Coordinates of all heavy atoms in Angstrom, one line a residue:
I27 N 41.9 28.7 51.3 CA 42.3 29.1 49.9 C 42.7 27.9 49.1 O 42.6 27.9 47.8 CB 43.5 30.1 50.0 CG1 43.7 30.7 48.6 CG2 44.7 29.5 50.6 CD1 44.6 31.9 48.6
H28 N 43.3 26.8 49.7 CA 43.7 25.7 48.9 C 42.5 25.0 48.2 O 42.6 24.3 47.2 CB 44.5 24.7 49.7 CG 43.7 24.0 50.8 ND1 43.0 22.8 50.5 CD2 43.5 24.3 52.1 CE1 42.4 22.4 51.6 NE2 42.7 23.3 52.6
R29 N 41.3 25.1 48.8 CA 40.1 24.5 48.1 C 39.6 25.3 47.0 O 38.9 24.8 46.1 CB 39.0 24.4 49.2 CG 39.3 23.3 50.2 CD 38.1 23.0 51.1 NE 37.7 24.3 51.8 CZ 36.6 24.3 52.6 NH1 35.8 23.3 52.7 NH2 36.3 25.4 53.2
R30 N 40.0 26.6 46.9 CA 39.5 27.4 45.7 C 40.4 27.3 44.5 O 40.0 27.6 43.4 CB 39.5 28.9 46.2 CG 38.5 29.1 47.2 CD 38.5 30.6 47.6 NE 37.6 30.8 48.7 CZ 37.4 32.0 49.3 NH1 38.1 33.0 48.8 NH2 36.6 32.2 50.3
L31 N 41.7 26.8 44.7 CA 42.6 26.7 43.5 C 42.2 25.4 42.7 O 41.9 24.4 43.3 CB 44.0 26.6 44.0 CG 44.5 27.8 44.7 CD1 45.9 27.6 45.2 CD2 44.5 29.0 43.8
P32 N 42.3 25.5 41.4 CA 41.9 24.3 40.6 C 43.0 23.3 40.7 O 44.2 23.6 40.7 CB 41.8 24.9 39.2 CG 42.6 26.1 39.2 CD 42.5 26.7 40.6
K33 N 42.6 22.0 40.6 CA 43.5 20.9 40.6 C 43.5 20.4 39.2 O 42.5 20.0 38.6 CB 43.0 19.8 41.5 CG 43.5 20.0 43.0 CD 42.6 21.0 43.7 CE 42.9 21.1 45.1 NZ 42.3 22.2 45.7
R34 N 44.7 20.3 38.6 CA 44.8 20.0 37.2 C 45.6 18.7 36.9 O 46.1 18.5 35.8 CB 45.5 21.1 36.4 CG 44.7 22.4 36.4 CD 43.5 22.3 35.6 NE 42.8 23.6 35.6 CZ 41.5 23.8 35.4 NH1 40.8 22.7 35.1 NH2 41.0 25.0 35.4
G35 N 45.8 17.9 37.9 CA 46.5 16.6 37.6 C 47.9 16.7 37.9 O 48.5 17.6 38.4
F36 N 48.6 15.7 37.4 CA 50.1 15.5 37.6 C 50.8 15.7 36.3 O 50.5 15.0 35.3 CB 50.4 14.2 38.2 CG 51.8 13.9 38.5 CD1 52.5 14.5 39.5 CD2 52.5 13.0 37.6 CE1 53.8 14.2 39.7 CE2 53.8 12.7 37.8 CZ 54.5 13.3 38.8
N37 N 51.9 16.5 36.3 CA 52.8 16.6 35.2 C 54.1 16.1 35.6 O 54.8 16.8 36.4 CB 52.9 18.1 34.7 CG 51.6 18.6 34.1 OD1 50.9 17.8 33.4 ND2 51.2 19.8 34.4
N38 N 54.6 15.1 35.0 CA 55.9 14.5 35.3 C 57.0 15.3 34.6 O 57.0 15.3 33.3 CB 55.9 13.0 34.8 CG 57.1 12.3 35.3 OD1 58.0 12.9 35.9 ND2 57.2 11.0 34.9
I39 N 57.8 15.9 35.3 CA 58.9 16.7 34.8 C 60.0 15.9 34.2 O 60.9 16.4 33.5 CB 59.4 17.7 35.8 CG1 60.0 17.1 37.0 CG2 58.3 18.7 36.1 CD1 60.8 18.0 37.9
F40 N 60.1 14.6 34.5 CA 61.1 13.7 34.0 C 60.7 12.9 32.8 O 61.4 11.9 32.4 CB 61.6 12.8 35.2 CG 62.1 13.5 36.4 CD1 61.4 13.6 37.5 CD2 63.3 14.2 36.3 CE1 61.9 14.3 38.6 CE2 63.8 14.9 37.4 CZ 63.1 15.0 38.5
R41 N 59.5 13.1 32.3 CA 59.0 12.4 31.2 C 59.8 12.6 29.9 O 60.3 13.7 29.7 CB 57.6 12.8 30.9 CG 56.9 12.0 29.9 CD 55.6 12.6 29.5 NE 55.6 12.8 28.1 CZ 54.7 13.4 27.4 NH1 53.7 13.9 27.9 NH2 54.8 13.5 26.1
K42 N 60.0 11.5 29.2 CA 60.8 11.6 27.9 C 59.8 11.9 26.8 O 58.7 11.4 26.7 CB 61.4 10.2 27.6 CG 62.5 9.8 28.6 CD 63.7 10.7 28.5 CE 64.7 10.2 29.5 NZ 65.9 11.0 29.6
N43 N 60.2 12.8 25.9 CA 59.4 13.2 24.8 C 60.0 12.7 23.5 O 61.0 13.3 23.0 CB 59.2 14.7 24.8 CG 58.2 15.2 23.7 OD1 57.5 14.4 23.1 ND2 58.1 16.4 23.5
Y44 N 59.5 11.6 22.9 CA 60.2 10.9 21.8 C 59.5 11.4 20.5 O 58.3 11.8 20.4 CB 60.0 9.4 21.9 CG 60.8 8.8 23.0 CD1 60.1 8.3 24.1 CD2 62.1 8.7 23.0 CE1 60.8 7.7 25.1 CE2 62.9 8.1 24.0 CZ 62.2 7.6 25.1 OH 62.9 7.1 26.1
A45 N 60.3 11.4 19.4 CA 59.8 11.7 18.1 C 59.3 10.3 17.6 O 60.1 9.4 17.5 CB 60.9 12.2 17.2
V46 N 58.1 10.2 17.2 CA 57.5 8.9 16.8 C 57.5 8.8 15.3 O 57.2 9.7 14.6 CB 56.0 8.9 17.3 CG1 55.4 7.6 16.8 CG2 56.0 8.9 18.8
V47 N 58.0 7.6 14.8 CA 58.1 7.4 13.4 C 57.4 6.0 13.1 O 57.7 5.0 13.8 CB 59.5 7.3 12.9 CG1 59.6 6.9 11.4 CG2 60.2 8.6 13.2
N48 N 56.4 6.0 12.2 CA 55.8 4.8 11.9 C 56.5 4.1 10.7 O 57.2 4.8 9.9 CB 54.3 5.1 11.4 CG 53.5 5.4 12.6 OD1 53.5 4.8 13.6 ND2 52.7 6.5 12.5
L49 N 56.4 2.8 10.6 CA 57.1 2.1 9.5 C 56.6 2.5 8.2 O 57.3 2.5 7.2 CB 56.9 0.5 9.7 CG 57.6 -0.1 10.9 CD1 57.3 -1.5 11.0 CD2 59.1 0.2 10.8
G50 N 55.3 2.8 8.0 CA 54.8 3.3 6.8 C 55.4 4.6 6.3 O 55.7 4.8 5.1
R51 N 55.7 5.4 7.2 CA 56.4 6.7 6.9 C 57.8 6.5 6.5 O 58.3 7.1 5.6 CB 56.3 7.6 8.1 CG 56.9 9.0 7.9 CD 56.1 9.8 7.0 NE 56.7 11.1 6.8 CZ 57.4 11.5 5.8 NH1 57.6 10.7 4.8 NH2 57.9 12.7 5.7
L52 N 58.5 5.5 7.1 CA 59.8 5.1 6.7 C 59.8 4.6 5.3 O 60.7 5.0 4.5 CB 60.4 4.1 7.6 CG 61.1 4.5 8.9 CD1 61.5 3.3 9.7 CD2 62.2 5.4 8.6
Q53 N 58.9 3.7 5.0 CA 58.8 3.2 3.6 C 58.5 4.2 2.6 O 59.1 4.2 1.5 CB 57.7 2.1 3.6 CG 57.6 1.3 2.3 CD 58.9 0.6 2.0 OE1 59.5 0.0 2.8 NE2 59.4 0.8 0.7
S54 N 57.6 5.2 2.9 CA 57.4 6.2 1.9 C 58.6 7.1 1.7 O 58.8 7.6 0.6 CB 56.2 7.1 2.3 OG 56.4 7.7 3.6
A55 N 59.4 7.3 2.7 CA 60.6 8.1 2.5 C 61.7 7.3 1.7 O 62.4 7.9 0.9 CB 61.2 8.5 3.9
V56 N 61.7 6.0 1.9 CA 62.6 5.2 1.0 C 62.1 5.2 -0.4 O 62.9 5.3 -1.3 CB 62.7 3.7 1.6 CG1 63.4 2.8 0.7 CG2 63.4 3.7 3.0
D57 N 60.8 5.0 -0.6 CA 60.3 5.0 -2.0 C 60.5 6.4 -2.7 O 60.7 6.4 -3.9 CB 58.8 4.7 -1.9 CG 58.5 3.3 -1.5 OD1 59.4 2.5 -1.6 OD2 57.4 3.0 -1.1
A58 N 60.5 7.5 -1.9 CA 60.7 8.8 -2.5 C 62.2 9.1 -2.8 O 62.5 10.1 -3.4 CB 60.1 9.9 -1.6
G59 N 63.1 8.2 -2.3 CA 64.5 8.4 -2.5 C 65.1 9.3 -1.5 O 66.3 9.8 -1.7
K60 N 64.4 9.7 -0.4 CA 65.0 10.6 0.6 C 65.8 9.9 1.6 O 66.7 10.5 2.3 CB 63.8 11.3 1.3 CG 63.0 12.2 0.4 CD 61.9 12.9 1.2 CE 61.1 13.8 0.3 NZ 60.1 14.5 1.1
L61 N 65.6 8.6 1.8 CA 66.3 7.8 2.8 C 67.1 6.7 2.2 O 66.5 5.9 1.4 CB 65.3 7.3 3.8 CG 65.7 6.9 5.2 CD1 66.4 8.0 5.9 CD2 64.5 6.4 6.0
D62 N 68.3 6.5 2.5 CA 69.2 5.5 1.9 C 69.3 4.3 2.9 O 69.7 4.5 4.1 CB 70.6 6.1 1.7 CG 71.5 5.1 1.0 OD1 71.0 4.1 0.4 OD2 72.8 5.2 1.1
V63 N 68.8 3.1 2.5 CA 68.8 2.0 3.4 C 70.1 1.2 3.4 O 70.2 0.2 4.2 CB 67.6 1.1 3.1 CG1 66.3 1.8 3.4 CG2 67.6 0.6 1.7
T64 N 71.0 1.5 2.5 CA 72.3 0.8 2.5 C 73.1 1.2 3.7 O 74.0 0.5 4.2 CB 73.1 1.1 1.2 OG1 73.3 2.5 1.1 CG2 72.3 0.6 0.0
E65 N 72.9 2.4 4.3 CA 73.5 2.8 5.5 C 72.5 2.7 6.7 O 71.3 2.7 6.5 CB 74.0 4.3 5.4 CG 75.0 4.5 4.3 CD 75.5 5.9 4.2 OE1 75.1 6.7 5.0 OE2 76.2 6.2 3.2
P66 N 73.0 2.6 7.9 CA 72.1 2.6 9.1 C 71.3 3.8 9.2 O 71.7 5.0 9.0 CB 73.1 2.5 10.3 CG 74.3 1.9 9.7 CD 74.4 2.4 8.3
V67 N 70.0 3.6 9.5 CA 69.0 4.7 9.6 C 69.0 5.2 11.1 O 68.7 4.4 12.0 CB 67.6 4.3 9.2 CG1 66.6 5.4 9.4 CG2 67.6 3.9 7.7
N68 N 69.5 6.4 11.3 CA 69.5 6.9 12.7 C 68.7 8.2 12.7 O 68.1 8.6 11.8 CB 70.9 7.1 13.2 CG 71.8 8.0 12.3 OD1 71.2 8.6 11.4 ND2 73.1 8.0 12.5
A69 N 68.7 8.9 13.9 CA 68.0 10.1 14.0 C 68.4 11.2 13.1 O 67.6 12.0 12.5 CB 68.0 10.6 15.5
A70 N 69.7 11.4 12.9 CA 70.3 12.4 12.0 C 69.8 12.2 10.6 O 69.5 13.1 9.9 CB 71.8 12.4 12.1
A71 N 69.8 10.9 10.1 CA 69.3 10.6 8.8 C 67.8 10.9 8.6 O 67.4 11.3 7.6 CB 69.6 9.1 8.5
L72 N 67.1 10.6 9.7 CA 65.6 10.9 9.6 C 65.3 12.4 9.5 O 64.4 12.9 8.8 CB 64.9 10.3 10.8 CG 64.9 8.8 10.8 CD1 64.3 8.3 12.1 CD2 64.1 8.2 9.7
V73 N 66.1 13.2 10.2 CA 65.9 14.7 10.2 C 66.3 15.2 8.8 O 65.7 16.0 8.2 CB 66.8 15.4 11.3 CG1 66.8 16.9 11.1 CG2 66.2 15.0 12.7
E74 N 67.5 14.7 8.3 CA 67.9 15.1 7.0 C 67.0 14.7 5.9 O 66.8 15.5 4.9 CB 69.3 14.5 6.7 CG 69.9 14.9 5.4 CD 71.3 14.3 5.2 OE1 72.0 14.1 6.2 OE2 71.6 14.0 4.1
A75 N 66.3 13.6 6.0 CA 65.3 13.2 5.0 C 64.0 13.9 5.2 O 63.1 13.8 4.3 CB 65.1 11.6 5.1
G76 N 63.8 14.5 6.3 CA 62.5 15.2 6.5 C 61.4 14.4 7.1 O 60.2 14.8 7.1
V77 N 61.8 13.2 7.6 CA 60.8 12.3 8.2 C 60.3 12.9 9.5 O 59.1 12.9 9.9 CB 61.3 10.9 8.4 CG1 60.3 10.0 9.1 CG2 61.7 10.3 7.0
I78 N 61.3 13.4 10.3 CA 60.9 14.1 11.6 C 61.6 15.5 11.5 O 62.5 15.7 10.8 CB 61.4 13.3 12.8 CG1 62.9 13.1 12.7 CG2 60.7 12.0 13.0 CD1 63.5 12.4 14.0
S79 N 61.0 16.4 12.3 CA 61.6 17.8 12.4 C 62.6 18.0 13.5 O 63.6 18.7 13.3 CB 60.4 18.8 12.5 OG 59.8 18.5 13.7
K80 N 62.4 17.3 14.6 CA 63.3 17.4 15.8 C 63.6 16.0 16.3 O 62.7 15.2 16.3 CB 62.7 18.3 16.9 CG 62.6 19.7 16.5 CD 62.1 20.5 17.7 CE 61.7 21.9 17.4 NZ 61.1 22.6 18.6
V81 N 64.7 15.8 16.9 CA 65.0 14.5 17.5 C 64.4 14.4 18.9 O 64.0 13.3 19.3 CB 66.6 14.4 17.6 CG1 66.9 13.1 18.3 CG2 67.2 14.4 16.2
R82 N 64.3 15.5 19.6 CA 63.8 15.6 21.0 C 64.6 14.7 21.9 O 65.8 14.8 21.9 CB 62.3 15.2 21.0 CG 61.5 16.2 20.2 CD 60.0 15.9 20.5 NE 59.2 16.9 19.8 CZ 58.3 16.6 18.9 NH1 58.0 15.4 18.6 NH2 57.6 17.6 18.4
D83 N 64.0 13.7 22.6 CA 64.7 12.8 23.5 C 65.1 11.5 22.8 O 65.7 10.6 23.5 CB 63.9 12.5 24.7 CG 63.8 13.7 25.7 OD1 64.8 14.5 25.7 OD2 62.7 13.9 26.3
G84 N 64.8 11.4 21.5 CA 65.2 10.2 20.8 C 64.1 9.8 19.8 O 63.0 10.5 19.8
V85 N 64.2 8.8 19.1 CA 63.3 8.3 18.1 C 62.7 7.0 18.5 O 63.4 6.1 18.9 CB 63.9 8.2 16.7 CG1 62.9 7.7 15.7 CG2 64.5 9.5 16.3
R86 N 61.4 6.9 18.5 CA 60.7 5.7 18.8 C 60.0 5.2 17.5 O 59.2 5.9 16.9 CB 59.7 5.9 19.9 CG 58.9 4.6 20.3 CD 58.5 4.7 21.8 NE 57.6 3.6 22.1 CZ 58.0 2.4 22.5 NH1 59.3 2.2 22.5 NH2 57.2 1.5 22.8
I87 N 60.2 3.9 17.2 CA 59.6 3.3 16.0 C 58.3 2.5 16.4 O 58.3 1.7 17.3 CB 60.6 2.3 15.4 CG1 62.0 3.0 15.1 CG2 60.1 1.7 14.1 CD1 62.0 4.1 14.2
L88 N 57.3 2.8 15.6 CA 56.0 2.1 15.8 C 55.6 1.4 14.5 O 56.1 1.7 13.5 CB 54.9 3.1 16.2 CG 55.1 3.9 17.4 CD1 53.9 4.9 17.7 CD2 55.3 3.0 18.6
A89 N 54.7 0.4 14.7 CA 54.5 -0.6 13.6 C 53.3 -0.2 12.7 O 52.7 -1.1 12.1 CB 54.3 -2.0 14.2
N90 N 52.9 1.0 12.7 CA 51.8 1.4 11.8 C 52.2 1.5 10.4 O 53.1 2.3 10.1 CB 51.2 2.8 12.3 CG 49.9 3.1 11.7 OD1 49.3 2.3 10.9 ND2 49.4 4.3 12.0
G91 N 51.7 0.8 9.5 CA 52.1 0.7 8.1 C 52.9 -0.5 7.8 O 53.1 -1.3 8.7
A92 N 53.3 -0.6 6.6 CA 54.1 -1.8 6.2 C 55.5 -1.4 5.7 O 55.7 -0.4 5.1 CB 53.4 -2.6 5.1
L93 N 56.5 -2.2 6.0 CA 57.8 -2.0 5.5 C 58.2 -3.1 4.6 O 58.1 -4.3 4.9 CB 58.8 -2.0 6.7 CG 60.3 -1.7 6.4 CD1 60.3 -0.2 6.0 CD2 61.1 -1.9 7.6
T94 N 58.5 -2.8 3.3 CA 58.8 -3.8 2.3 C 60.2 -3.8 1.9 O 60.7 -4.6 1.1 CB 57.9 -3.6 1.1 OG1 58.1 -2.2 0.6 CG2 56.4 -3.7 1.4
T95 N 61.0 -2.8 2.4 CA 62.4 -2.7 2.0 C 63.2 -3.8 2.7 O 63.0 -4.1 3.9 CB 63.0 -1.3 2.4 OG1 62.2 -0.3 1.8 CG2 64.4 -1.2 2.0
K96 N 64.1 -4.4 2.0 CA 64.9 -5.5 2.6 C 66.2 -4.9 3.3 O 66.7 -3.9 2.9 CB 65.4 -6.5 1.6 CG 64.2 -7.1 0.8 CD 63.8 -8.3 1.3 CE 62.8 -9.0 0.4 NZ 61.5 -9.1 0.9
K97 N 66.6 -5.6 4.3 CA 67.9 -5.3 5.0 C 68.1 -3.8 5.4 O 68.9 -3.1 5.0 CB 69.1 -5.7 4.1 CG 69.1 -7.1 3.7 CD 69.7 -7.9 4.8 CE 69.8 -9.4 4.3 NZ 70.4 -10.3 5.3
V98 N 67.2 -3.4 6.3 CA 67.3 -2.0 6.8 C 67.7 -2.1 8.3 O 67.2 -3.0 9.0 CB 66.0 -1.2 6.7 CG1 64.9 -1.8 7.4 CG2 66.2 0.2 7.1
E99 N 68.7 -1.3 8.7 CA 69.2 -1.3 10.0 C 68.8 0.0 10.6 O 69.2 1.1 10.2 CB 70.7 -1.5 10.1 CG 71.3 -1.5 11.5 CD 72.8 -1.7 11.5 OE1 73.3 -2.5 10.6 OE2 73.5 -1.1 12.3
I100 N 68.0 0.0 11.7 CA 67.5 1.2 12.3 C 68.0 1.3 13.7 O 67.9 0.4 14.5 CB 65.9 1.1 12.4 CG1 65.4 0.9 11.0 CG2 65.4 2.4 13.0 CD1 63.9 0.6 11.0
H101 N 68.6 2.5 14.0 CA 69.1 2.8 15.3 C 68.1 3.8 16.0 O 67.9 4.9 15.4 CB 70.5 3.5 15.3 CG 71.5 2.6 14.8 ND1 72.3 1.9 15.6 CD2 71.9 2.3 13.5 CE1 73.2 1.1 14.9 NE2 73.0 1.4 13.6
A102 N 67.5 3.4 17.1 CA 66.4 4.2 17.7 C 66.5 4.1 19.2 O 67.1 3.1 19.7 CB 65.1 3.7 17.2
A103 N 65.9 5.0 19.9 CA 65.8 4.9 21.4 C 64.9 3.9 21.9 O 65.0 3.4 23.0 CB 65.4 6.3 21.9
G104 N 63.9 3.5 21.0 CA 62.9 2.5 21.4 C 62.1 2.1 20.3 O 62.0 2.8 19.2
A105 N 61.4 1.0 20.4 CA 60.5 0.5 19.4 C 59.5 -0.4 20.0 O 59.7 -1.1 21.1 CB 61.3 -0.3 18.3
S106 N 58.3 -0.5 19.4 CA 57.3 -1.5 19.9 C 57.6 -2.9 19.5 O 58.4 -3.1 18.6 CB 55.9 -1.0 19.3 OG 55.9 -1.2 17.9
K107 N 57.0 -3.8 20.2 CA 57.3 -5.3 19.8 C 56.8 -5.6 18.4 O 57.5 -6.4 17.7 CB 56.5 -6.1 20.8 CG 57.1 -6.1 22.2 CD 56.4 -7.0 23.2 CE 56.9 -6.9 24.6 NZ 56.2 -7.8 25.5
A108 N 55.7 -5.0 18.0 CA 55.2 -5.3 16.6 C 56.2 -4.7 15.6 O 56.4 -5.3 14.5 CB 53.8 -4.7 16.5
A109 N 56.8 -3.6 15.9 CA 57.8 -3.0 15.0 C 59.0 -3.9 14.9 O 59.6 -4.1 13.8 CB 58.2 -1.6 15.5
F110 N 59.5 -4.4 16.0 CA 60.6 -5.4 16.0 C 60.3 -6.5 15.0 O 61.1 -6.9 14.2 CB 60.9 -5.9 17.4 CG 61.9 -5.0 18.1 CD1 61.4 -4.3 19.3 CD2 63.2 -4.9 17.8 CE1 62.3 -3.6 20.0 CE2 64.1 -4.1 18.5 CZ 63.6 -3.5 19.6
K111 N 59.1 -7.1 15.2 CA 58.7 -8.3 14.4 C 58.6 -7.9 12.9 O 59.0 -8.7 12.1 CB 57.4 -8.8 14.9 CG 57.5 -9.5 16.3 CD 56.2 -10.0 16.7 CE 56.3 -10.6 18.1 NZ 55.0 -11.1 18.6
A112 N 58.0 -6.8 12.6 CA 57.8 -6.4 11.2 C 59.1 -6.1 10.5 O 59.3 -6.5 9.4 CB 56.9 -5.1 11.2
V113 N 60.1 -5.5 11.2 CA 61.4 -5.2 10.6 C 62.2 -6.5 10.4 O 62.8 -6.8 9.4 CB 62.2 -4.2 11.4 CG1 63.6 -4.1 10.9 CG2 61.5 -2.8 11.3
E114 N 62.2 -7.4 11.4 CA 62.9 -8.7 11.4 C 62.2 -9.6 10.3 O 62.9 -10.4 9.7 CB 62.9 -9.4 12.7 CG 63.8 -8.6 13.7 CD 63.8 -9.2 15.1 OE1 62.9 -10.1 15.3 OE2 64.5 -8.7 16.0
K115 N 61.0 -9.4 10.0 CA 60.3 -10.2 9.0 C 60.8 -10.0 7.6 O 60.9 -10.9 6.8 CB 58.8 -9.9 9.1 CG 57.9 -10.8 8.2 CD 56.5 -10.4 8.3 CE 55.6 -11.2 7.3 NZ 54.2 -10.8 7.5
V116 N 61.2 -8.7 7.3 CA 61.8 -8.4 6.0 C 63.3 -8.5 6.0 O 63.9 -8.2 5.0 CB 61.3 -7.0 5.6 CG1 59.8 -6.9 5.4 CG2 61.9 -5.9 6.5
G117 N 63.9 -9.0 7.1 CA 65.3 -9.2 7.1 C 66.2 -8.1 7.7 O 67.4 -8.1 7.6
G118 N 65.6 -7.1 8.3 CA 66.3 -6.0 8.9 C 66.4 -6.2 10.4 O 66.1 -7.2 10.9
K119 N 66.9 -5.1 11.1 CA 67.0 -5.2 12.5 C 66.9 -3.8 13.1 O 67.3 -2.8 12.4 CB 68.2 -5.9 13.0 CG 69.5 -5.2 12.6 CD 70.7 -6.0 13.1 CE 72.0 -5.5 12.6 NZ 73.2 -6.2 13.1
I120 N 66.4 -3.7 14.3 CA 66.3 -2.5 15.1 C 67.3 -2.6 16.2 O 67.3 -3.5 17.0 CB 64.9 -2.2 15.6 CG1 63.9 -2.0 14.4 CG2 64.9 -0.9 16.5 CD1 62.5 -1.8 14.9
I121 N 68.2 -1.6 16.3 CA 69.2 -1.6 17.4 C 68.8 -0.5 18.4 O 68.6 0.7 18.1 CB 70.6 -1.3 16.8 CG1 71.0 -2.4 15.9 CG2 71.6 -1.2 17.9 CD1 72.2 -2.2 15.1
V122 N 68.6 -1.0 19.6 CA 68.2 -0.1 20.7 C 69.3 -0.1 21.8 O 69.8 -1.2 22.1 CB 66.8 -0.6 21.4 CG1 66.4 0.3 22.5 CG2 65.7 -0.6 20.3
P123 N 69.7 1.1 22.3 CA 70.8 1.0 23.3 C 70.3 0.4 24.6 O 69.1 0.4 24.9 CB 71.1 2.5 23.5 CG 69.9 3.2 23.1 CD 69.3 2.4 22.0
A124 N 71.2 -0.3 25.2 CA 70.9 -1.0 26.5 C 70.6 0.0 27.6 O 71.2 1.1 27.7 CB 72.1 -1.9 26.9
V125 N 69.6 -0.4 28.4 CA 69.2 0.5 29.5 C 70.2 0.3 30.6 O 70.6 -0.8 31.0 CB 67.8 0.1 30.0 CG1 67.4 1.0 31.2 CG2 66.8 0.3 28.8
A126 N 70.7 1.4 31.2 CA 71.7 1.3 32.3 C 71.0 0.6 33.5 O 69.9 0.9 33.9 CB 72.1 2.7 32.7
A127 N 71.7 -0.4 34.1 CA 71.2 -1.1 35.3 C 71.3 -0.2 36.5 O 72.3 0.5 36.7 CB 72.0 -2.4 35.5
K128 N 70.3 -0.2 37.3 CA 70.2 0.6 38.5 C 70.6 -0.2 39.7 O 70.4 -1.4 39.9 CB 68.8 1.2 38.7 CG 68.6 2.2 37.6 CD 67.3 2.9 37.9 CE 67.0 4.0 36.9 NZ 65.8 4.7 37.1

């Protein structure tokens, strides 16, 4: 009977499901006046601005698009290396919580 059942791969039950935000989407929210860059940008501010609908397991910043706003501080669960470079290039910073040592 085990040969008759379909095999469908592996589903990791411990996988993190992040809300993904591109830098271009952040810039369009700033341009529209929905997001205030004088205060730190965190998950609650992104939900309030309508950039993401749910926080899920955290927010991950990706470098798709361009960020032209100066001095933006972003608090996120993770970010790509290109996103770190793009934000630091305009004078801002991305703050990621430290991973607990095992």
Side-chain angles (χ1 to χ4, degrees):
I27 190 166
H28 69 86
R29 290 190 299 174
R30 293 182 186 177
L31 296 175
K33 277 77 173 165
R34 298 288 183 205
F36 176 73
N37 291 322
N38 187 357
I39 61 171
F40 301 109
R41 187 188 124 185
K42 299 287 184 187
N43 188 8
Y44 294 108
V46 176
V47 178
N48 290 312
L49 289 179
R51 181 70 177 103
L52 274 177
Q53 184 61 45
S54 63
V56 170
D57 292 341
K60 295 180 179 180
L61 201 58
D62 185 20
V63 294
T64 59
E65 297 180 9
V67 176
N68 55 14
L72 293 173
V73 170
E74 186 178 321
V77 176
I78 58 175
S79 60
K80 293 182 189 176
V81 177
R82 296 189 176 125
D83 290 326
V85 176
R86 182 151 169 84
I87 307 296
L88 300 181
N90 191 3
L93 186 67
T94 58
T95 305
K96 305 266 190 247
K97 302 280 184 177
V98 60
E99 182 178 322
I100 303 170
H101 295 266
S106 65
K107 290 181 183 179
F110 273 111
K111 289 179 184 177
V113 171
E114 289 174 357
K115 184 178 177 182
V116 296
K119 62 181 176 178
I120 297 178
I121 297 174
V122 178
V125 177
K128 291 184 179 181

